[in-house]
Amino acid sequence: MITASAALNSLLLTSDQLVVVDCYDITLQDGTVIRWTSADAPVAVDIAGVRTLFSVGPLITRNNIKLVIGVQVDSLTLTLTADDAVTIGSVPLIKAAVSGRLDGATVRLYRAYAADWTSGWVGVLTRFAGTVADVSGGRSQLEIKVNNHLQLLNTQQPVRSYQAGCTWTLYDTSCAASKHTSIGTVVSVAQRWEFQTSIDSGATNLGTSMLPISLGVVLQGGQLKFTSGKNSGFTYPVKTWSGSTATLLRPAGLEIAVGDSFQVTWGCNKTIQVCDFVYANKANYGGFPFIPAAETAVPV
């Protein structure tokens, strides 16, 4: 339900003309908060009793919002036009977005109201809230699709199923495995998604005996975060890790250079062997490794 303050209710009921602007609150997965407005000047409004400032950012347009009764998942499509002067941290907005910085971000759309441009902002209404589902961009324009939080209801029921592979998410409370990491440097670069690496074995936490499990098996499916170079601070999922060759699931947003350092948080292939030998976590394994394999019945 959309609620408004007493002052805003009074303004909406008594004024024939209003000034209305959009305000966007974007919270990235790392906790960074970005606040932009569609107005030509910064907008300071009270949200939940807290004075909040929305700055002038990129040119933002959006589709219309519809309100329906039920559990239909609505979406908001934002089109952002910006040059390299608009940044997230020190990285231009477009490059940061296509490299995954906005993935999974929470977006809230507020509408701020005032009697005119010379008077103060009376209040805001929350018009949409959701999570970034898709990002695509070109040279100077970015399109972001945001699904509202009803998409969280689209969950498999029952949540757990009988299968050989583990059903837990690595490092969550059900898994309870200790986080393992490796650090290394880039030795040579083939593409922005593929490069040769050198892993610092002295700084690699091997946990218990790795036995038949190679380091590449657990680095595959992990998360690689650059700690130096142009991509410093950005994290990319690892698609494969063969020998010393790392292949990312998507290209890095900026150029990778020889000597760039990184940290890899290990992944898991959901088998009981990795759970036991690598993480010493067999007691918390979330799968059923001895469940019979599917068989085909053939009439005779």
Side-chain angles (χ1 to χ4, degrees), residues 137-267:
R139 185 179 298 273
S140 61
Q141 199 167 75
L142 189 68
E143 185 170 288
I144 304 172
K145 181 180 179 181
V146 185
N147 289 336
N148 69 14
H149 292 313
L150 285 176
Q151 68 175 331
L152 298 176
L153 297 177
N154 186 20
T155 303
Q156 173 182 297
Q157 296 293 336
V159 177
R160 296 193 66 195
S161 59
Y162 287 96
Q163 61 184 49
C166 183
T167 59
W168 305 136
T169 298
L170 183 60
Y171 305 129
D172 70 5
T173 54
S174 298
C175 168
S178 299
K179 185 171 291 188
H180 286 47
T181 60
S182 294
I183 63 174
T185 55
V186 176
V187 175
S188 65
V189 181
Q191 306 284 348
R192 286 203 307 187
W193 61 88
E194 182 177 292
F195 46 91
Q196 296 288 320
T197 66
S198 175
I199 297 294
D200 183 355
S201 59
T204 296
N205 177 10
L206 296 178
T208 58
S209 173
M210 293 280 286
L211 295 180
I213 310 298
S214 68
L215 183 59
V217 169
V218 292
L219 294 181
Q220 181 172 314
Q223 298 287 322
L224 186 148
K225 179 179 181 180
F226 285 98
T227 53
S228 70
K230 293 183 178 180
N231 291 287
S232 181
F234 288 97
T235 301
Y236 301 93
V238 177
K239 181 179 180 181
T240 61
W241 200 295
S242 177
S244 61
T245 302
T247 303
L248 304 180
L249 187 62
R250 60 172 181 267
L254 301 172
E255 292 77 14
I256 301 172
V258 173
D260 286 356
S261 58
F262 57 81
Q263 175 179 290
V264 188
T265 301
W266 292 12

Side-chain angles (χ1 to χ4, degrees), residues 3-19 45-46 51 111-116 119-125:
T3 59
S5 65
L8 181 54
N9 274 328
S10 176
L11 177 68
L12 295 175
L13 291 171
T14 59
S15 298
D16 295 328
Q17 293 184 341
L18 297 171
V19 174
V45 292
D46 290 330
R51 196 67 171 173
R111 302 209 78 187
Y113 296 81
D116 54 61
S119 59
W121 298 98
V122 177
V124 297
L125 294 178

Side-chain angles (χ1 to χ4, degrees), residues 61-107:
T61 59
R62 62 175 176 84
N63 63 336
N64 292 326
I65 300 171
K66 61 181 179 180
L67 300 177
V68 298
I69 297 175
V71 292
Q72 177 181 338
V73 177
D74 197 7
S75 63
L76 174 69
T77 301
L78 305 177
T79 302
L80 285 67
T81 304
D83 56 20
D84 287 350
V86 181
T87 62
I88 297 179
S90 59
V91 180
L93 169 63
I94 305 285
K95 291 183 178 179
V98 297
S99 68
R101 193 71 189 275
L102 294 179
D103 291 358
T106 299
V107 178

